[in-house]
Amino acid sequence: MAVESARTIALPSGEEIAALGQGTWYLGEDPARREQEIAALRLGVDLGMTVVDTAEMYGDGAAEELVGEALRGRREEVFLVSKVLPGHADRKGTVAACEGSLRRLRTERLDLYLLHWRARWPLEETLAGFTDLMEAGKIRYWGVSNLDVIDMAELTTLPGGDAVAVDQVLYNLFRRGIEWDLLPWCREAGVTVMAYSPIEQGRLLKVGALGAVARALGATPTQVALAWVLEQGVAGIPRSGSPDHVRQNRGAVDLHLPTEALDALDEAFPPPTGPTSLEML
């Protein structure tokens, strides 16, 4: 049974979800690591990291299959997220892609279904697919990923577009561009922001200034980087394929950064001074 997370974040509906969850990009691709990755996901749920994020793109469905195995018997403990590839994101394709994800995940519904990024299909087509899925009880909420403020403003003018629950974007100490316009816009519109790659796939951990802050707080650089994201009112979904890393990630939930630490991080990783195109990995 999962323990309650010490930090939650609210969706537009008012439902609270764990502020720190688990990502699965690159999981499920190495058979030699499968059992360890499954153990890591299960431990994360035990520790209250109950938002589990995946996508049909990850390992061409392999990550979803891994998640389905890891969550067997525990589905009701988890807020489960997956994503439709843009090439599948017309009305019928969105429904078919979701049904494929549901099969791989061994579940009858997703808690949140995202458009992975915007491409050739009009947003109206994807919205129609999301509506069909909601009416069929196959998804509870829908959202987007990698949409910048101009795209979000357009989306919310479409019929039903103001029901968008989440924008999942690249955000970490290295990638603060959304603070100029997208993050304030989402806050004003009531859209929850979720950060993928919150430690920049490990590259952040090599920065000396981050290590110095971590040492001063008796924490690890990973914990400080994740705690910083949470301090911004943004949900985080770090990927971890090992139980030890999951335990370390969970420590960020209990770490509150004092003003001097936040100031040191701002000096080392300055906030944006103007509009910046949305970055992606």
Side-chain angles (χ1 to χ4, degrees):
M1 182 67 67
V3 299
E4 185 176 351
S5 173
R7 289 197 199 183
T8 60
I9 194 165
L11 297 173
S13 68
E15 181 175 345
E16 299 276 338
I17 61 173
L20 189 68
Q22 302 182 82
T24 62
W25 197 4
Y26 297 117
L27 298 191
E29 299 182 19
D30 183 355
R33 298 181 57 84
R34 187 175 189 82
E35 292 306 314
Q36 177 175 264
E37 291 171 351
I38 288 172
L41 285 167
R42 290 175 176 166
L43 176 62
V45 176
D46 291 340
L47 297 177
M49 298 164 64
T50 50
V51 174
V52 177
D53 176 270
T54 190
E56 64 170 332
M57 185 190 79
Y58 300 164
D60 196 23
E64 290 180 325
E65 291 175 351
L66 182 85
V67 170
E69 183 175 347
L71 299 183
R72 187 184 303 173
R74 306 192 66 176
R75 172 65 185 89
E76 297 307 314
E77 300 175 53
V78 170
F79 188 90
L80 187 56
V81 185
S82 195
K83 309 179 194 73
V84 55
L85 277 165
H88 297 162
D90 63 330
R91 183 172 189 166
K92 290 183 177 179
T94 297
V95 172
C98 182
E99 290 172 344
S101 291
L102 293 174
R103 286 192 297 271
R104 289 186 291 272
L105 288 162
R106 308 181 190 185
T107 187
E108 295 181 352
R109 75 182 192 292
L110 292 171
D111 295 293
L112 176 64
Y113 197 38
L114 306 178
L115 172 64
H116 209 150
W117 65 88
R118 188 176 184 179
R120 63 188 180 96
W121 290 110
L123 291 172
E124 293 93 331
E125 283 281 316
T126 312
L127 278 176
F130 286 155
T131 299
D132 292 343
L133 289 164
M134 290 191 73
E135 290 177 350
K138 294 179 179 178
I139 65 173
R140 297 179 57 226
Y141 303 105
W142 64 267
V144 293
S145 181
N146 297 303
L147 262 64
D148 208 345
V149 65
I150 294 175
D151 301 303
M152 294 298 292
E154 177 187 344
L155 175 67
T156 53
T157 65
L158 300 174
D162 58 355
V164 58
V166 167
D167 190 10
Q168 185 184 116
V169 294
L170 176 63
Y171 182 55
N172 57 50
L173 282 163
F174 272 155
R175 314 270 192 166
R176 298 184 61 174
I178 68 168
E179 294 174 19
W180 183 262
D181 48 13
L182 179 61
L183 189 54
W185 187 95
C186 287
R187 287 172 175 156
E188 178 68 22
V191 177
T192 301
V193 177
M194 188 177 288
Y196 71 83
S197 297
I199 57 172
E200 188 73 8
Q201 299 180 335
R203 289 183 286 273
L204 258 175
L205 309 183
K206 301 175 183 178
V207 179
L210 180 61
V213 171
R215 287 190 296 274
L217 297 174
T220 69
T222 293
Q223 289 166 344
V224 172
L226 294 177
W228 179 86
V229 169
L230 302 184
E231 294 278 359
Q232 314 312 309
V234 173
I237 46 168
R239 179 195 75 235
S240 180
S242 78
D244 286 345
H245 287 163
V246 168
R247 289 188 187 92
Q248 181 179 177
N249 290 349
R250 175 57 179 79
V253 175
D254 303 316
L255 179 63
H256 292 271
L257 302 179
T259 300
E260 56 268 26
L262 293 170
D263 290 345
L265 292 172
D266 279 345
E267 183 175 353
F269 307 93
T273 57
T276 305
S277 296
L278 185 66
E279 297 179 280
M280 294 175 58
L281 284 178

